[in-house]
Structure formats: C-alpha cells, structure tokens
Amino acid sequence: MGFGAQIKANLIWAKNNAESVVAIVLAVTMSVLGIVDIIPADLVGKVIPLTLGVVAFAMLRDRWRQESVNEKIEQTVAGVADTLHQLHERLDRTATIDELLTSTQRTLDGLAAVRFALGNEVSDVLAQARTGTDRWIFKGGTGAHTRVVTLPDCVRQALHDRRELLVRMEILDPTNVELCDRYAALYRSLAEGAEDDARTWTGKGTQIELYATILSACWHKQRLPHLLDIEIGLTSSVSMFRWDLSSRYLIVTQRGPRFPAMIIERGRPYYDSWSIELRTSFAESRRVPIDRALTVQLAEQPGVAEVRELFDALELSLPADYDDADVDDIVAKALRDSARPLRGAGDQLGVG
C-alpha cells in the first residue's frame, strides 16, 4: 500500500471514529499541559467531564451502530429463514409431484402390460400359450375348451418332449344342481340373438359338461401317470370370466366374441398377482381325489359301467336319473368332442 493510500485510509478511520479521536486528543493534551503547569489545574478538572462526555457519546454511537447492525442481521436471518421455508415448501410440492408422476408411470406401465384381443387373435394367443408350456392353470365354468383343445394339445407336446406337465382346473361342482341351474340361467340371459347356443343351455347340460371334463382329466392321467400331474378343484361360485395361465401368458376371457380377452405376458406385474390369486382360489375349492382314478381302468372308449364306477370312486356319483344315453353323452364329450365356435355358454373358445 502506498504512502498516499495509507494516509487516506487513516483519515477515513479518523472520520469514522471522530468522537474517540477527539476524546483521546483532548485527554492527552490537557494531561500534558496540566503536568507542565501551562494551564491551571482547575481548568484541567473542568475539561475532564467534557472528555468523559465525548467518550460516553462515542460509546453510545458505537452501541447504536451495533444495534443497527444486529437489527439488519436479524432481518437478514429472518429473510433467509423465510426463503428456506418457501424453498422447503417448493421441495415438498416437487416431491409430491414426483410421487404423483411415479404413480402415474406405474399405472401406465400396468396398462401397457395388458393388451386386448378378439376372435382369431385370442385363438392364436392361446396356441402360443400352449407351445412349450410346463403348466396350465384354469379357472372358469365347465372347462369345455380346456377339455377339448388345451389338455390334449399340452399332453401331446409333453409326451413329445418327454417332460412333466402340471394341469390345475377349477370348475363348477357338478353335484350342486342349483349351482348348475344358476350357471345355465346366467348364460341364457346373456344370449346374443335367437340363434345363440346359450339359449339352449340347461342345468343338466352344464352337469354333463362338467362330468365330461373330469372324465377327460382322469383318462389322460391314466395314460401319462408319470408325466401328467393333474388336479381338479370344484367351486360353488359362478363367474362370467375364465382364466387360463401358462408359463408364458395369462389370458382372461368372458362370454361371446364381442368381449375382448385380456392378455398379460409373464414378467408383467399382473401375471404374478393373478398367479397367486388363482393358486389361492384353488386352495379354497373342494378337491377331486383324482388319484383314485388309477384304481378304475378306463378303456380307450370307456363303457357305461366303467364311467359309473369311476365317478363312484371319485365320490361324484352320477345322478340317479342319468340313463345310459346320458353316460354315453359324457364319454363322447370327454373324448370325441371337437372345437366349437366362439359362442355358447362361455367355455367354447375355438373359432371354427
């Protein structure tokens, strides 16, 4: 720092501290003059209060300055606190918006995980679901499509690949006559036009379909006892929906071609959720002791006596009013039925 700048800085300091400088100069001057007897002692005594007054004024001014500075500091701190509070509120709103966006994204991801199909596309997806699968979980009404298309195809592939196949079917209880009547009435009420097959459905017809599904499962079980692990559960709940789950897809369908099927691929959130739901529902159903089917030898084309004996062994005895023609109808549906069009009582999902 140069000499001129030093002098300027000293002058600025003296200006800012004028009272203190005056008090110091006055006190030193009067003390020196009093010591050398240049001025009378009583004058020095009179100057002392003046000096003290100057010192007091300087102290008061310093205190006032300090209070002003403190007030400004408090105002600054309050302003900073208010700014931080506003920032915190904005961060909270940002976090809420972020949570909303995350939730919305999850919802959109879930919707994207479900696609819809109609008609031939449903049959194509069902065929893809059967290809190479090691399991088939079904929940629905009579299980006609599972009996006619799914089970024979999956068994054929498992036999070709020499691998195990798990099949689990949850269907209506054929011994519950009132339940079968309700099921038939529901689908008659949903008939689409005078030509809809649903109009012809009866409680007994529903029973025969159910007995045919059970007979088909037992027949396949006897022929592949080591490869086919098949279970059947009986429920008393009527639903418009049916679920088919393979190792690749979950397919949810309902009655009629104009109702789209929901298709969910494995790895998507709803696939695992529905898998757990189907397992839980099956656990609450009445289990058919299908292993007892191995004690009744069924021919390639079982006779009336064999079929009656089988259902007696399964504790699902045929109604007393079922004649031989009814039993033959059960056998025909179990082993010689073919894919039906996408209409009727909700279980026929073939398209020709």
Side-chain angles (χ1 to χ4, degrees):
M1 178 182 295
F3 180 72
Q6 182 65 45
I7 293 177
K8 183 177 180 181
N10 292 336
L11 290 174
I12 293 174
W13 180 87
K15 177 183 177 182
N16 293 335
N17 299 275
E19 297 86 354
S20 299
V21 172
V22 170
I24 292 172
V25 171
L26 184 61
V28 171
T29 301
M30 296 305 297
S31 296
V32 172
L33 293 177
I35 292 173
V36 297
D37 292 330
I38 297 178
I39 60 173
D42 58 342
L43 180 60
V44 174
K46 293 178 181 179
V47 173
I48 290 174
L50 176 62
T51 304
L52 293 176
V54 173
V55 172
F57 177 78
M59 293 176 64
L60 289 174
R61 193 187 70 162
D62 288 342
R63 181 173 296 178
W64 176 79
R65 286 177 177 178
Q66 185 64 40
E67 289 178 352
S68 298
V69 170
N70 290 340
E71 183 178 355
K72 290 181 179 180
I73 291 174
E74 290 176 358
Q75 292 176 352
T76 302
V77 171
V80 171
D82 184 62
T83 301
L84 290 175
H85 180 69
Q86 294 179 9
L87 179 61
H88 181 70
E89 289 182 345
R90 291 180 180 179
L91 289 175
D92 286 343
R93 288 197 296 269
T94 302
T96 302
I97 294 172
D98 184 63
E99 291 175 0
L100 178 60
L101 291 174
T102 301
S103 176
T104 302
Q105 184 63 49
R106 283 198 299 265
T107 301
L108 292 174
D109 289 343
L111 291 174
V114 180
R115 61 188 178 95
F116 300 90
L118 285 169
N120 288 329
E121 188 179 357
V122 180
S123 295
D124 293 340
V125 174
L126 284 167
Q128 294 173 25
R130 293 193 300 270
T131 302
T133 188
D134 61 353
R135 78 201 69 168
W136 197 276
I137 313 300
F138 169 81
K139 177 182 178 181
T142 63
H145 184 263
T146 303
R147 176 187 77 235
V148 175
V149 178
T150 304
L151 183 57
D153 190 20
C154 289
V155 166
R156 182 168 50 253
Q157 293 187 45
L159 182 59
H160 179 271
D161 298 337
R162 306 303 296 175
R163 55 176 168 76
E164 292 184 345
L165 173 66
L166 168 66
V167 176
R168 183 179 294 150
M169 293 188 287
E170 183 179 343
I171 60 176
L172 299 177
D173 187 348
T175 64
N176 189 331
V177 176
E178 187 271 336
L179 174 68
C180 294
D181 287 338
R182 282 195 290 118
Y183 180 83
L186 171 64
Y187 282 98
R188 284 198 303 270
S189 69
L190 297 174
E192 300 176 0
E195 301 301 321
D196 195 330
D197 289 347
R199 292 184 177 276
T200 66
W201 270 69
T202 64
K204 183 176 181 179
T206 300
Q207 274 187 310
I208 288 175
E209 291 283 344
L210 292 166
Y211 279 121
T213 297
I214 297 171
L215 174 58
S216 176
C218 294
W219 187 88
H220 285 289
K221 175 67 175 177
Q222 284 197 3
R223 276 143 187 80
L224 291 173
H226 302 297
L227 295 182
L228 179 59
D229 181 6
I230 188 166
E231 297 179 284
I232 298 178
L234 305 179
T235 181
S236 297
S237 299
V238 173
S239 174
M240 291 178 57
F241 293 92
R242 48 169 290 151
W243 293 262
D244 288 276
L245 184 141
S246 74
S247 58
R248 295 179 59 194
Y249 294 101
L250 167 66
I251 304 164
V252 184
T253 52
Q254 56 181 314
R255 183 192 178 278
R258 66 185 180 89
F259 294 101
M262 292 186 293
I263 302 168
I264 304 170
E265 294 185 33
R266 184 177 183 177
R268 300 293 188 175
Y270 295 130
Y271 179 93
D272 292 329
S273 299
W274 275 112
S275 180
I276 295 172
E277 173 67 21
L278 293 175
R279 188 184 307 117
T280 302
S281 178
F282 186 81
E284 296 176 353
S285 65
R286 180 163 74 95
R287 202 68 54 83
V288 174
I290 200 168
D291 286 340
R292 297 182 186 177
L294 300 177
T295 65
V296 180
Q297 188 60 42
L298 298 174
E300 287 295 320
Q301 295 296 324
V304 172
E306 294 173 67
V307 174
R308 290 186 183 277
E309 182 183 359
L310 170 67
F311 284 113
D312 288 341
L314 298 177
E315 298 180 359
L316 297 172
S317 298
L318 296 176
D321 61 346
Y322 272 36
D323 56 23
D324 289 353
D326 293 325
V327 178
D328 287 336
D329 194 13
I330 292 173
V331 174
K333 288 180 177 294
L335 304 177
R336 298 191 298 274
D337 210 347
S338 59
R340 307 177 197 179
L342 185 64
R343 59 181 187 175
D347 285 320
Q348 293 75 23
L349 290 177
V351 287

